[in-house]
Amino acid sequence: MFKCKCKCNDLSWGFLYAACTVAYVGLVSLLMSRGEELFGNGNEGGYLTFVAVLLLLVLSVATVGSLLFGKPVYLLLKKDWSQAVKQLAYNLGWLLILTVIVFLFLL
């Protein structure tokens, strides 16, 4: 398996996973907000428009799921229960902090 040579701790990895999640959500939001400019108003596609949106949803769930839950599940499979819970807490904690920051920008 791939071994990282950097000396990042679990807290740093949690921030990285959460930041990548925020970046991915930002890119999908940008795509959705510019969708009419890029793809028209959606009436021409009909059925294919729904298929495309649902495929984007499935891709998004898989991407964000692997970012937030991939390492904790890997640690669970290695029977490292405490490390898995700690990594999940770091991932979700950083995501919560970054979400609050995004909402503060909206004020």
Side-chain angles (χ1 to χ4, degrees):
M1 177 156 225
F2 174 74
K3 283 288 201 184
C4 180
K5 297 190 190 293
C6 69
K7 301 291 184 203
C8 297
N9 60 15
D10 295 332
L11 191 62
S12 300
W13 281 112
F15 174 77
L16 180 66
Y17 297 141
C20 287
T21 300
V22 170
Y24 178 76
V25 169
L27 287 173
V28 170
S29 299
L30 183 64
L31 175 70
M32 292 178 76
S33 68
R34 303 279 189 240
E36 191 171 330
E37 295 172 18
L38 296 171
F39 308 113
N41 65 5
N43 291 335
E44 299 89 28
Y47 174 73
L48 285 179
T49 302
F50 293 113
V51 170
V53 169
L54 288 174
L55 285 172
L56 180 61
L57 173 67
V58 170
L59 177 69
S60 295
V61 168
T63 302
V64 172
S66 65
L67 281 170
L68 293 178
F69 301 113
K71 178 93 182 258
V73 168
Y74 172 74
L75 292 170
L76 279 175
L77 292 174
K78 287 178 51 177
K79 305 278 193 253
D80 194 355
W81 307 101
S82 63
Q83 190 66 24
V85 170
K86 190 164 69 168
Q87 186 65 58
L88 181 63
Y90 288 149
N91 293 355
L92 295 179
W94 275 116
L95 185 62
L96 176 66
I97 291 168
L98 294 175
T99 302
V100 168
I101 290 170
V102 168
F103 273 99
L104 288 175
F105 275 109
L106 292 174
L107 295 178

